[in-house]
Each structure stands twice: as C-alpha cells, then as structure tokens.
Amino acid sequence: MADGIRDAPPDLPLVEASRRVQRREVSPVELTQAALDRIARDDGNLNAFVTVLAESALADAHHAEREIADGKWRGPLHGIPISVKDLFWTRGVRTTAGSRIMADFIPDEDATVVALLRAAGAVLLGKTNMLEFAYAAVHDDYGPSLNPWDVHRSASGSSSGSAVAVAAGMGYGSLGSDTGGSIRLPAAYTGIVGLKPSYGRVSRHGVVPVSWSADHVGPMTRTVADAAAMLTVIAGADAADPTASTTAVPNYLAALDGRSARPIRVGVPTAWLNRRVAPEVRDIVETAISVLADGGATLTEVALPDPGDAVAALMAILMPEAAAWHLRWLRERPEDYSPAVRERLELGVVTPAVRYLQGQQARRTLTEAFLTAMADVDVLAMPTAPTAATPLESDLTVGDDADPDALAALVDFTAPFDLTGFPAISVPCGFTAAGLPVGMQLVGRPWREDLLLAVAHRYEQATSWHRRMPTEIA
Amino acid sequence: MTDPVSGERASAPTPSDLTAIAAAAGVDLESREAIRLAAQAAAHFAMLRRLDLAADPQVEPAAIFALPIEKGGNDG
C-alpha cells in the first residue's frame, strides 16, 4: 500500500484544519465538500458509513461559515466536519447500532455528546458503520468496514467505520465507544489516534449501551491534539447520566505543551510485552518506548496484574449487563441478530450471578493493584493490539464464531482499562514490513487525561507516523 | 469429562470433547450451531473459573456504576 502525507483537505489534522478556518485560508464549506468528495470516491470500497448527511452537513457548514465571518468563532471544532458511530442518538437521523433490530430507529433527541459537538459548531457528516451493537461481530446487513491500508484486512472494531473514516480522509475526526477496546483497537489497525477517557469523564446518555459499567465514549482522530480538542468539548457532568463525573474539565488542547518540572516517568510492563504479542509488533513498540526515553522520559519496569484475570472479570460483568439490555429482543427476535452476537448474548443470559459478583470483586482488587503499580509512574506503555490488522477471512469480527478464548487474547491490552476505568490512548508508532500500522497504548491514572495526552503528544512530535496516510484504495 | 491437557476433571465438556462427540455421533449440519454454542459455553465458563482465584471472597464487590478510582465516578 502506498502512503502519503496529511497536508491538505480532506486529510488535514482537525486542529490544523481549524487553524486554517480561523485564518480564513479555507472555509468550512470547502472542508465539508472535500470530505464528501472523498466519501463519494472511496466509501464504496471501504464501507465506513451507514448514513451520509451530505445535505445537512453542507447547510451546517454554510451556517458556520457565516458565523465565523461575523466574528462568532465558537472554538476549535467550529465548522469542522466530523462523524459519529451509529450508536449515538441523532435527532431525526436513523441510528441503527449496526443491527437489523434497530434498523428503523429514529431518535427524537441527540445523545448528550452529539448535542455538545453541535453546540461547538461541528458539522455532522454522517453515521459510521460498526460491529452489531458494538459487540464483537458484523451483521450481514451492513458488512465490515475495510482497512484502507489493505482492503483485504480487518479494521477491527467495534468503532471500525469511525476509524476507517478518519484514516481515509472522510471527515476530520469521529466519535467512538469502547467497552473492551473498541476505540483503541480499530485506531491501532488503521494508524490513527484513539482515546478512551476515564470512566465517567464523558456522558453516555443517548448512547446504545453494551455494558453500563464499562462503556466509554471518546474521540478518534489523526493527531493527539485533535483528540484533546474533541475531549475538551465532550467531557463533563450530565444530569441525564448519573455516572458522568462533576470533576472539572480542563482545556486539554491548551494543556498539551505544558512542561512538567520533572521528567515523565513511563512504566513498562515487560511481562505483558512478552505475552502473545507478534514479534514484529513487540519490536516496533519497544522502539517507540525508546523514543520516549530519548525525549527525556525515565523508564521503569512495572509488574501488572495478569491481564487474563482482568479479561475474565470484564467478561463476567459485561456479558450479563449486555444480555439484560437485550433480553426482550433476544426472546422476541433472536433470528434478527447475527449468529455470533446472539450466541454471546445467550452466554450472558446463562452467566451465573455469582460470577458477575466475583467479577465485581476482582474489579475492585485489580483496580487497586493497577493503582499501586502506577504509584511511581505517570503512564504505562505497551502495544494496543497483539498483532497488526488481521486478514478479513480469519478476523473475529466477520466470522460466525465468537470464540471466547480468541476474543480474550485480542483484548488483553485494552480490556483491563475498561474494567478499571483508567484513561488510555492508542497512537500510531510504526509500520510492519507489510505496510500495516501498529499502535502503542499509553495508559494514565484516573482523571489524568491532561498528562496522558501531553505524553502522547510529546511522542507524536518526535515521530512522523501520524502524518502518513493510505492512498490508492481499491 | 476429563481435561486431556491437565488431566483434571472439568465441570463442562471442552470444545475438543464436543468435537469428538459430534464426529463420533455423525452430527449433521443442523446440529452444528448447537455444538458450536456448547463449545463456546464451555470455553466461556472455563474462562470464568479464573475468578475463583482472582476474586477475593472477603472483598466487597465494586459498586456497579461507580468505580473506586480517586475522584469522579458516581459523584454527580
């Protein structure tokens, strides 16, 4: 796969596009039209979108253009075209959750995060494709989103369409959700940035749930600064979501370049890096970690709990919570689910309550263990996924099988932080010999997205992986 | 059923047990889905058995919608 450099619309990073809008070098209408043209050109091959809102997007872009011309600039998202995963409620716009069950659902209100994006002046380009109900497999009615670096390979999931859209120049950012790795894994597979904030940092109101106690909403973007800009807009308390925290929301974008008084301390879980990771991925991530050290960070080996325990605890919690939400449809319309999702929901139905409570006991113990392990470090560094993008024919997300063992291995690095609620970000950190992107995951302590983003930004500034983009999509 | 790897007595059939049973019984295609679900259930419950060690019975379970993490959580 050939690659290019992100230096012009529709491939600009969000923050750079915003700067050019502010300087009147480019208009929101031009940004929007460029993204729509790219969608028209490539989405037939990539299948990133379920719904494209061309008409309303252009109308919103014209409105933003007039406001900005009148000196009413609302902030970094004003006039910037973005997409949202098709599980965020959008008033008057079909919200399918990638399912046949909800294929005709048209919400009468926006999710809180969608309302916040609109209030910030963002232009909604469309709703992106996803795994059915964000739950491990694609429904045949929608088909998989294909990886723009190699269309014969998976974009992972469940926020696959969002990742593909951002990677391929179909919008300047997207909103995803993450319960076991669904923002970070597709970000790693497609060479973009994916941020899962702390649990409670972002409202879940109006988001079709997988697991109430493990669902997280976050940005998927081309750069760390883009993610900081989006998080600043969507984070905060929400009267409609009792789990949305009142913890103050800083300006994450403004905080990116803040210099700390001491070197950043990076914890490296060597035992995890040696656990079921493709050697090529491990080498690339180890090189990325050395870049952090070259930039002045101190590296410390840390011992973390066994990720297998965290995955088991998460599954014991997640699967019954998902089954509880789906129970009526599971009884009345079981044939409308894909076989893999139906089977996983059925396993949730028969998971004993004792296992659920053991999962919650382990969650408390593991959370404390991770906090202890991070007592003397600012962030952890590790691979996001054990491999680069896998061939479609062998990928978990497109087959009928939902092998729990295989799924557990895929989410070894991501699921522990959905269980514990710690913030985590995937940043592009290199390419395999086959030209596939690899992601490094950085994990922060709860509510320290500011520090996490600053470390990720510093890494990004020392490298150029984030500037590469796929071309010749066919 | 006995786990062929560990030799321990398992509480549910392993996927390989079920595959062998299905083959011996000449299972037809219509039964394949049931066999697959049973195999996945066996793997699922085997994974959850880890919690017998990972979960301390003396620990109070985490509050479902408020994780025990510093500030925030269900503090609104």
Side-chain angles (χ1 to χ4, degrees):
Chain A
M1 173 57 64
D3 58 19
I5 297 294
R6 301 188 192 280
D7 60 2
D11 299 300
L12 284 175
L14 184 156
V15 169
E16 177 57 27
S18 180
R19 285 194 191 106
R20 295 189 191 187
V21 166
Q22 256 197 303
R23 294 196 297 253
R24 314 281 174 88
E25 293 171 6
V26 66
S27 77
V29 173
E30 289 170 318
L31 291 178
T32 303
Q33 190 59 59
L36 290 171
D37 289 348
R38 181 65 61 81
I39 291 170
R41 191 189 82 180
D42 287 340
D43 203 41
N45 289 323
L46 296 175
N47 195 28
F49 282 84
V50 174
T51 302
V52 177
L53 301 166
E55 196 173 321
S56 62
L58 283 169
D60 290 347
H62 278 289
H63 181 68
E65 193 166 303
R66 286 193 297 274
E67 280 191 330
I68 294 167
D70 289 344
K72 297 173 185 167
W73 186 70
R74 300 192 206 179
L77 298 194
H78 200 178
I80 303 299
I82 55 145
S83 60
V84 298
K85 185 177 182 177
D86 203 19
L87 51 54
F88 293 102
W89 285 29
T90 40
R91 184 162 49 87
V93 175
R94 193 169 73 121
T95 299
T96 69
S99 71
R100 182 177 295 170
I101 300 266
M102 291 180 64
D104 300 318
F105 173 59
I106 299 177
D108 56 9
E109 65 171 310
D110 282 332
T112 296
V113 285
V114 172
L116 289 168
L117 289 168
R118 290 192 200 274
V123 172
L124 185 59
L125 274 178
K127 309 288 296 289
T128 54
N129 197 6
M130 54 182 284
L131 304 188
E132 182 185 9
F133 287 114
Y135 206 32
V138 163
H139 195 289
D140 283 345
D141 289 357
Y142 301 87
S145 296
L146 304 180
N147 196 312
W149 293 95
D150 178 348
V151 294
H152 303 293
R153 289 183 182 264
S154 167
S156 193
S158 64
S159 309
S160 39
S162 290
V164 171
V166 172
M170 300 187 287
Y172 301 80
S174 192
L175 208 55
S177 65
D178 192 316
T179 310
S182 287
I183 286 175
R184 292 159 289 160
L185 291 170
Y189 274 28
T190 59
I192 66 164
V193 172
L195 171 66
K196 182 202 79 68
S198 304
Y199 180 79
R201 180 69 295 180
V202 177
S203 168
R204 298 175 296 104
H205 176 67
V207 185
V208 176
V210 178
S211 165
W212 300 291
S213 72
D215 287 345
H216 300 73
V217 171
M220 302 175 76
T221 57
R222 297 182 185 132
T223 70
V224 175
D226 296 355
M230 286 187 73
L231 181 64
T232 303
V233 167
I234 62 174
D238 179 10
D241 177 0
T243 67
S245 173
T246 55
T247 301
V249 179
N251 183 329
Y252 295 107
L253 182 59
L256 276 185
D257 291 315
R259 290 288 162 189
S260 59
R262 54 170 174 71
I264 294 297
R265 302 164 302 173
V266 177
V268 182
T270 305
W272 279 31
L273 264 67
N274 292 327
R275 181 189 162 91
R276 290 194 286 194
V277 181
E280 193 177 18
V281 168
R282 187 174 59 233
D283 290 348
I284 289 169
V285 171
E286 285 175 346
T287 300
I289 292 170
S290 72
V291 170
L292 289 168
D294 292 344
T298 60
L299 305 185
T300 307
E301 183 165 337
V302 292
L304 299 179
D306 187 330
D309 289 345
V311 171
L314 181 65
M315 294 304 166
I317 294 164
L318 179 162
M319 294 174 76
E321 289 190 6
W325 195 79
H326 283 274
L327 195 56
R328 180 176 294 176
W329 283 329
L330 201 56
R331 286 174 174 151
E332 295 174 355
R333 300 175 60 184
E335 70 284 354
D336 286 340
Y337 289 96
S338 66
V341 168
R342 176 180 166 184
E343 286 166 10
R344 289 181 62 75
L345 290 170
E346 287 169 341
L347 291 177
V349 170
V350 299
T351 298
V354 167
R355 292 297 189 208
Y356 182 88
L357 287 166
Q358 283 184 313
Q360 295 288 11
Q361 286 175 316
R363 177 180 242 176
R364 184 181 290 277
T365 306
L366 290 165
T367 300
E368 288 167 0
F370 275 103
L371 283 173
T372 300
M374 293 186 70
D376 295 322
V377 298
D378 298 306
V379 298
L380 303 172
M382 63 190 75
T384 305
T387 68
T390 48
L392 270 177
E393 62 270 19
S394 63
D395 191 72
L396 288 171
T397 62
V398 293
D400 284 345
D401 288 330
D403 180 347
D405 285 339
L407 185 65
L410 176 66
V411 300
D412 254 1
F413 294 105
T414 51
F417 307 107
D418 290 295
L419 180 78
T420 58
F422 290 20
I425 190 168
S426 181
V427 292
C429 71
F431 286 78
T432 66
L436 300 170
V438 171
M440 172 171 64
Q441 179 175 236
L442 299 170
V443 179
R445 287 199 296 267
W447 312 106
R448 290 311 308 269
E449 283 85 354
D450 56 337
L451 184 56
L452 177 68
L453 287 161
V455 176
H457 179 65
R458 201 172 299 177
Y459 170 77
E460 194 178 72
Q461 295 301 296
T463 61
S464 62
W465 306 116
H466 61 288
R467 289 176 53 78
R468 292 173 68 171
M469 53 181 257
T471 58
E472 299 178 14
I473 294 160
Chain B
M1 292 276 174
T2 301
D3 187 313
V5 177
S6 66
E8 293 174 1
R9 187 167 176 75
S11 59
T14 66
S16 57
D17 289 334
L18 288 160
T19 304
I21 292 166
V27 170
D28 61 18
L29 281 177
E30 269 120 19
S31 299
R32 239 184 77 223
E33 283 190 7
I35 292 292
R36 192 178 63 209
L37 179 59
Q40 289 178 6
H44 174 62
F45 289 117
M47 178 175 68
L48 296 185
R49 279 200 293 275
R50 291 181 70 109
L51 295 173
D52 289 335
L53 294 174
D56 181 346
Q58 304 304 315
V59 169
E60 187 167 331
I64 293 175
F65 302 116
L67 299 187
I69 49 176
E70 296 182 3
K71 300 174 290 182
N74 193 7
D75 62 0

